[in-house]
Amino acid sequence: MNSYITITITTLSLSGCGSIGAYTESHTETKVSFSEYSAHTNNYLKKQTRLKVAQTGLVSGSTLLYSAQGSNSPISTDKNSFNVTYPLWINESEVDDVEYAIDKYRQWQKQETPDKYLLTLPINEYVSQWMNGVTFKFGLYSTKQGRDFLSVCYEFSESGTCTFTFMIDEQSVELLSNDLQKFKLHSFELGS
């Protein structure tokens, strides 16, 4: 019985039935870093991102797929940490949402004495076109040491709580803005 199901699925895939549509992706250069909290150093560590530009028949337009490898562990202990991939997916239709968050971050930084938010101050969110059911929530966050970040909450549940949160520092916010400008102008140099 199992071999019959496997053969049927393989046949459908090869014939194009049940296909998810054409999929293409290209690697491209980025200098954007995400930051994660480290209980070992009591500080935020930069994690270099990888970037792909992808298209699929299920989503209209191209999508930027950022990812950075990190580890997630409880703040109180370094035990039970596990590897995670911090994603940020930005479809062409979502660029305005991310640029809005960047503009709010810039306005915050231009204040003579920027307000400090030890709890994240929400500024906007969007449901990902790339993967239905994932919401990206942006906010403003300050550390006790006085560093300011654009926070990104990755939510993959209906509970309204973040699956995990990573930070983007001031330098990477500007690098992300530059990437978005290139994306809008379709001027990324794409690799394989």
Side-chain angles (χ1 to χ4, degrees), residues 37-40 42 72-81:
Y37 180 74
S38 168
H40 296 293
N42 193 29
N72 197 351
S73 63
I75 291 178
S76 59
T77 178
D78 59 353
K79 295 180 181 177
N80 300 323
S81 66

Side-chain angles (χ1 to χ4, degrees), residues 1-167:
M1 178 70 171
N2 284 342
S3 61
Y4 177 73
I5 292 172
T6 304
I7 293 170
T8 303
I9 291 172
T10 304
T11 304
L12 288 173
S13 298
L14 293 174
S15 68
C17 297
S19 172
I20 62 168
Y23 178 81
T24 60
E25 70 178 29
S26 297
H27 294 275
T28 189
E29 294 293 319
T30 186
K31 294 183 180 177
V32 172
S33 293
F34 297 158
S35 297
E36 74 173 354
Y37 180 74
S38 168
H40 296 293
T41 64
N42 193 29
N43 206 346
Y44 283 84
L45 305 177
K46 286 188 171 190
K47 302 292 182 176
Q48 184 59 45
T49 63
R50 295 186 57 182
L51 176 59
K52 297 177 186 177
V53 179
Q55 292 184 318
T56 179
L58 297 177
V59 177
S60 177
S62 296
T63 303
L64 295 176
L65 305 174
Y66 288 92
S67 63
Q69 296 302 309
S71 61
N72 197 351
S73 63
I75 291 178
S76 59
T77 178
D78 59 353
K79 295 180 181 177
N80 300 323
S81 66
F82 52 92
N83 292 332
V84 296
T85 300
Y86 297 116
L88 179 58
W89 306 319
I90 308 168
N91 181 266
E92 289 177 17
S93 65
E94 299 156 348
V95 169
D96 289 345
D97 293 310
V98 180
E99 287 183 326
Y100 177 82
I102 289 171
D103 287 342
K104 285 293 192 186
Y105 178 85
R106 286 174 175 157
Q107 290 170 18
W108 179 44
Q109 293 304 295
K110 285 181 183 175
Q111 294 174 357
E112 191 168 317
T113 307
D115 297 326
K116 297 298 178 185
Y117 304 106
L118 294 178
L119 297 175
T120 301
L121 175 70
I123 50 179
N124 76 330
E125 64 184 66
Y126 63 86
V127 176
S128 173
Q129 293 290 318
W130 186 252
M131 185 171 291
N132 194 11
V134 172
T135 300
F136 288 100
K137 297 181 177 182
F138 295 86
L140 306 177
Y141 178 75
S142 303
T143 67
K144 291 179 183 174
Q145 295 82 11
R147 292 182 63 194
D148 297 329
F149 291 99
L150 178 64
S151 72
V152 181
C153 159
Y154 169 89
E155 179 185 299
F156 188 61
S157 71
E158 294 182 14
S159 68
T161 59
C162 296
T163 306
F164 47 78
T165 301
F166 56 92
M167 305 295 170

Side-chain angles (χ1 to χ4, degrees), residues 171-184:
Q171 179 184 14
S172 284
V173 165
E174 295 307 320
L175 293 168
L176 177 59
S177 178
N178 292 342
D179 282 359
L180 293 177
Q181 292 307 310
K182 286 191 247 179
F183 186 49
K184 290 192 309 189

